[in-house]
Amino acid sequence: MTHNTKDYGNLMRERGFRVTPQRQLILDVICASGNHTTPEAIYKRVQAKFPSVNLATIYRNLDFLCELRLVVATQIGRKMYYEIAGESPHHHLVCRNCNKIEQIDHTNMKTLFNKVEREQDFTVDMDHITLFGLCAKCRQKTRRV
Amino acid sequence: MTHNTKDYGNLMRERGFRVTPQRQLILDVICASGNHTTPEAIYKRVQAKFPSVNLATIYRNLDFLCELRLVVATQIGRKMYYEIAGESPHHHLVCRNCNKIEQIDHTNMKTLFNKVEREQDFTVDMDHITLFGLCAKCRQKTRRV
DNA sequence: ATTCTTATTGCAAAAACTTGCAATAAGAAA
DNA sequence: TTTCTTATTGCAAGTTTTTGCAATAAGAAT
Ligand SMILES: [Mn+2]
Ligand SMILES: [Mn+2]
Ligand SMILES: [Zn+2]
Ligand SMILES: [Zn+2]
């Protein structure tokens, strides 16, 4: 239950939720998978260790873990992807043409968030945003068509 | 077929696609609905005028119109919302607590996009982003708990 | 240890969305 | 106008995600 540096068990209990074997397994699997895993993939890996876990439980807990901010979600194309929420937020750039995924540092985002907070008195609070556009290579290709 | 200021018919034909009654109806309905409408609502309103249109056609065309950038989509909670892509891009702030929706001007976003383009050589190209966080009122409430 | 409360689960059914395919109809060409 | 090509549609089946509900089991209280 203690992955990376976080004690997930306590983070849940502190907030009044229960720590079930299903939740532990799902977290373990997402952790082990590294980056951007689909519900279906998570389900299969969970089942390999504990076949009786139901797919509905996977979906419910992915929602749950996202609400607790222990896991972050992204939609790319028509699929959802989940990954462990790291120590510090990170964001993505996805190329509409070649689907390459780059990262953006949080500091650039933070600058925007601060501006919005000053100007509109709204505290933006997102630790995993995906921005779409064109990577350097595809921009050149696309120009000359 | 000419809504607001855009001639949707030509925008489609120019790019090699066909202008079908279904597409016209769907655009009409989204236009008339004003802001942030769900596929189901669009389907019902289309059906009221033309009952034989199939739900699959609605979904396929919502995708299609988004790809052509005539329509923009957002996911809020677990629902998708569609609206006409206006003259100039606009973005939203959604409060996680009270679900109030505010707007952000594109200029603030553009500043971020420009920075990303300079620093990472990636052209961000989004005209409808939704950022989540806490509005002024909910921030105060939530503090004192 | 045992009892109690109720959050969480599995299951089955429902709802939401996607896809393959043959029939249809836009729109270009003749 | 008529013919021709093929993008688009409706339909039915498939896949993915959500939901209601009774049974289960975390974890607090005794
Ligand atoms: Mn990520
Ligand atoms: Mn909008
Ligand atoms: Zn690219
Ligand atoms: Zn609020």
Side-chain angles (χ1 to χ4, degrees), chain B residues 35-36 72 74 83-84 90-92 101 103 128 130:
Chain B
N35 53 358
H36 299 188
V72 293
T74 332
E83 86 187 294
I84 289 290
H90 76 273
H91 310 277
H92 295 286
I101 302 180
Q103 301 228 346
H128 197 248
T130 303

Side-chain angles (χ1 to χ4, degrees), chain B:
Chain B
M1 258 301 82
T2 309
H3 300 255
N4 301 333
T5 51
K6 287 182 188 167
D7 181 345
Y8 290 123
N10 275 336
L11 282 170
M12 295 188 220
R13 261 185 235 102
E14 277 169 9
R15 304 212 222 169
F17 301 107
R18 295 180 185 176
V19 180
T20 64
Q22 289 88 337
R23 283 181 178 164
Q24 302 183 52
L25 240 104
I26 291 169
L27 269 171
D28 283 348
V29 163
I30 298 177
C31 244
S33 311
N35 53 358
H36 299 188
T37 317
T38 62
E40 196 54 34
I42 293 166
Y43 178 52
K44 277 181 190 150
R45 286 172 206 173
V46 167
Q47 274 216 322
K49 296 192 183 181
F50 204 127
S52 67
V53 176
N54 194 274
L55 184 55
T57 303
I58 304 287
Y59 283 112
R60 279 193 281 234
N61 277 312
L62 288 175
D63 278 1
F64 169 80
L65 294 169
C66 285
E67 263 166 41
L68 289 202
R69 309 288 210 108
L70 305 180
V71 164
V72 293
T74 332
Q75 189 169 39
I76 297 179
R78 61 190 23 150
K79 287 207 164 79
M80 288 298 298
Y81 295 90
Y82 295 86
E83 86 187 294
I84 289 290
E87 294 314 302
S88 53
H90 76 273
H91 310 277
H92 295 286
L93 299 169
V94 179
C95 178
R96 287 186 199 279
N97 191 246
C98 68
N99 294 310
K100 190 173 64 175
I101 302 180
E102 303 181 28
Q103 301 228 346
I104 324 175
D105 195 76
H106 187 58
T107 52
N108 282 344
M109 281 292 177
K110 195 63 189 159
T111 308
L112 170 70
F113 295 172
N114 289 338
K115 199 168 183 181
V116 170
E117 181 148 8
R118 280 197 308 278
E119 293 182 7
Q120 310 207 27
D121 201 15
F122 187 105
T123 312
V124 179
D125 175 18
M126 296 189 74
D127 41 22
H128 197 248
I129 294 176
T130 303
L131 298 178
F132 294 85
L134 286 179
C135 72
K137 278 186 190 171
C138 292
R139 192 186 331 128
Q140 292 172 329
K141 273 188 229 162
T142 314
R143 284 241 170 178
R144 303 254 162 254
V145 174

